[in-house]
Amino acid sequence: SLVMVSRTTVSGLSPAADDGGVGLLAVQSSLVLTGSTVNGGDGGAGEHDGGAAVRAVQSDLLFAGGGAIGGAAGTSGGNAGHGMHLVHSVARARGSMFDVVLPGPPGTGNQGQSFLLQDASTLVLGPVVSSGIAQTGTPSAVVLPPVPEPFLRNAGSNGLGTNGSLDLFGPPGALAFLVIAEEEKRTPVPELDGDLWLDADAIFFLGLLATHGPMFPASCPYAIPPAPILTGRSFRSQAMFPGVPGGLDPTLASVSNAVDVIVRP
């Protein structure tokens, strides 16, 4: 299955006297988290574990800004929850120094990890705030690309008659093609280190931007007309960087995450 979670806060269960729940679980899925905050549940009274913020099993995960924070250990011990627990999965963590993947507070218990890699998982790690990486079982791989992978954010309320912007982060001076389409479709492109998550046959906007680095965005402003007929319509954006090597496969070109502008009343 294909799932994109955008500008949303998700929290795992925090029972009174039990282990904390996982904030978000992906099993045999492709999952994109963009501009969202996911929290693991806190361990309850006693020696209980905090839940992982995100657990991916045999899945592809793309974290593009926001936060993933594990749950706290129980009041009398236990293990703090991990930020991301990967089991035979591939994950990309993109963002800036304002974006975090962190374990929960240990209290009197044991420290968690920002990333726990298990069973030959792969992590492509960008400049997000993180504290540690642990591996268990079959050796896994951590890739630190020399050029941080680009990411895209939607900044705006998306209501009728409002203004917003698509903010694109990438290497200084890198040229990117920003595309917008109303149709959503996963489209493999052999030249890209990742898929397009929009229908290339339904593109109605194509623009060229030069990015300024991982801290300062190149912005593409937009205005939503005050037309009620637009309510509920969704427009998906993504950017391609033909001159920037991919983080997972540097022989291919980088592509940003996708974001949606969903028009609200």
Side-chain angles (χ1 to χ4, degrees):
S1 60
L2 308 175
V3 179
M4 184 162 71
V5 180
S6 176
R7 301 201 298 178
T8 300
T9 299
V10 180
S11 295
L13 295 175
S14 298
D18 205 341
D19 293 342
V22 173
L24 200 155
L25 173 64
V27 179
Q28 296 181 346
S29 300
S30 293
L31 172 65
V32 175
L33 297 174
T34 172
S36 297
T37 298
V38 183
N39 301 296
D42 296 336
E47 189 173 343
H48 293 293
D49 297 339
V54 180
R55 189 168 191 263
V57 180
Q58 298 178 6
S59 295
D60 295 319
L61 169 64
L62 172 56
F63 170 86
I69 304 171
T75 57
S76 301
N79 301 305
H82 307 296
M84 292 187 182
H85 182 186
L86 310 177
V87 182
H88 199 63
S89 296
V90 176
R92 301 175 190 246
R94 306 180 181 185
S96 69
M97 296 304 292
F98 298 105
D99 303 299
V100 299
V101 178
L102 293 171
T108 60
N110 301 313
Q111 296 277 353
Q113 301 289 334
S114 285
F115 301 94
L116 175 62
L117 279 56
Q118 185 178 345
D119 295 347
S121 292
T122 299
L123 169 66
V124 183
L125 181 58
V128 299
V129 176
S130 59
S131 61
I133 302 172
Q135 300 184 27
T136 64
T138 306
S140 297
V142 178
V143 179
L144 301 174
V147 179
E149 294 188 298
F151 64 103
L152 184 63
R153 284 181 176 161
N154 173 24
S157 64
N158 299 164
L160 293 175
T162 64
N163 299 323
S165 67
L166 299 172
D167 292 345
L168 182 62
F169 299 80
L175 295 179
F177 293 102
L178 178 67
V179 294
I180 304 175
E182 193 170 0
E183 297 296 329
E184 302 172 3
K185 179 182 177 182
R186 188 174 189 176
T187 307
V189 179
E191 295 81 9
L192 296 179
D193 185 26
D195 295 339
L196 284 179
W197 280 51
L198 48 78
D199 189 347
D201 294 327
I203 293 174
F204 66 86
F205 176 86
L206 174 64
L208 182 64
L209 296 176
T211 50
H212 310 309
M215 299 292 289
F216 304 101
S219 296
C220 178
Y222 63 83
I224 300 177
I229 195 173
L230 294 175
T231 300
R233 291 174 68 177
S234 177
F235 301 90
R236 177 160 290 183
S237 304
Q238 202 167 4
M240 298 172 285
F241 287 75
V244 177
L248 194 59
D249 187 344
T251 67
L252 303 177
S254 278
V255 60
S256 79
N257 59 292
V259 298
D260 286 339
V261 174
I262 301 174
V263 182
R264 297 178 173 87

